[in-house]
Amino acid sequence: MAASRGDGFAVLLLDLSAAFDTVDHGILIDRLSSHSGLGGTALSWFASYLSGRTQSVVIDGVFSHPVDVIYGVPQGSVIGPKLYTIYVNCLRKVAAAHGVKIHQYSDDTTVYLEFRFPPGLPDQMDALRMLSCCAGDLADWFGFNWVRLFFV
């Protein structure tokens, strides 16, 4: 829309490596409680859904010993993308603190900022500085929350 108005825009595409595999169960349960208002039986159901899962590898028909899965949401499940979205929903606050917009669809994240020369929006250099500062804070947030991030 900015381009059609003749304005400029800066875009940062975030590549999240194996995003669904990096969800920390403890952090997710905390966010389900504190950010989504879940409690009691509903919260216990999610905790039960995430706990007690194991994984193993099969090579030539031989199974390895099972290992507890303490990170990630079950892939292929209907609820997995929703749980991931709740896990990373705090990103909006990080972006908003810099005056930057964010668009998320599951594990695809786009951070962007419009600019123009008339008053009302930042100019190109201010927009790039704002986006750069936001990128640094987003990288910190992802690191703190155990999500592997690659800037594209």
Side-chain angles (χ1 to χ4, degrees):
M1 290 182 356
S4 66
R5 290 191 312 263
D7 294 334
F9 56 95
V11 177
L12 179 64
L13 304 173
L14 304 179
D15 181 12
L16 306 174
S17 177
F20 284 54
D21 295 334
T22 61
V23 172
D24 181 286
H25 294 171
I27 294 172
L28 176 59
I29 294 300
D30 179 60
R31 290 195 179 136
L32 285 167
S33 174
S34 62
H35 299 169
S36 300
L38 287 180
T41 303
L43 189 62
S44 295
W45 183 85
F46 278 105
S48 173
Y49 176 70
L50 295 169
S51 66
R53 293 184 176 274
T54 60
Q55 69 182 17
S56 58
V57 177
V58 180
I59 299 176
D60 293 330
V62 178
F63 285 81
S64 68
H65 292 287
V67 175
D68 291 333
V69 177
I70 57 172
Y71 294 100
V73 292
Q75 297 193 26
S77 67
V78 174
I79 195 76
K82 300 286 185 201
L83 292 174
Y84 177 78
T85 300
I86 291 168
Y87 188 73
V88 297
N89 196 41
C90 305
L91 290 176
R92 296 188 176 286
K93 291 180 183 178
V94 175
H98 293 279
V100 173
K101 297 178 182 177
I102 190 168
H103 177 77
Q104 294 173 276
Y105 180 76
S106 193
D107 62 341
D108 294 325
T109 304
T110 303
V111 184
Y112 62 98
L113 184 63
E114 298 176 16
F115 60 85
R116 62 178 134 177
F117 296 100
L121 287 179
D123 68 18
Q124 182 177 5
M125 291 309 295
D126 286 339
L128 292 175
R129 276 193 283 284
M130 291 166 68
L131 195 59
S132 178
C133 289
C134 182
D137 286 351
L138 288 171
D140 290 344
W141 186 93
F142 280 115
F144 182 76
N145 287 278
W146 306 102
V147 180
R148 290 182 298 244
L149 170 66
F150 298 96
F151 287 98
V152 178

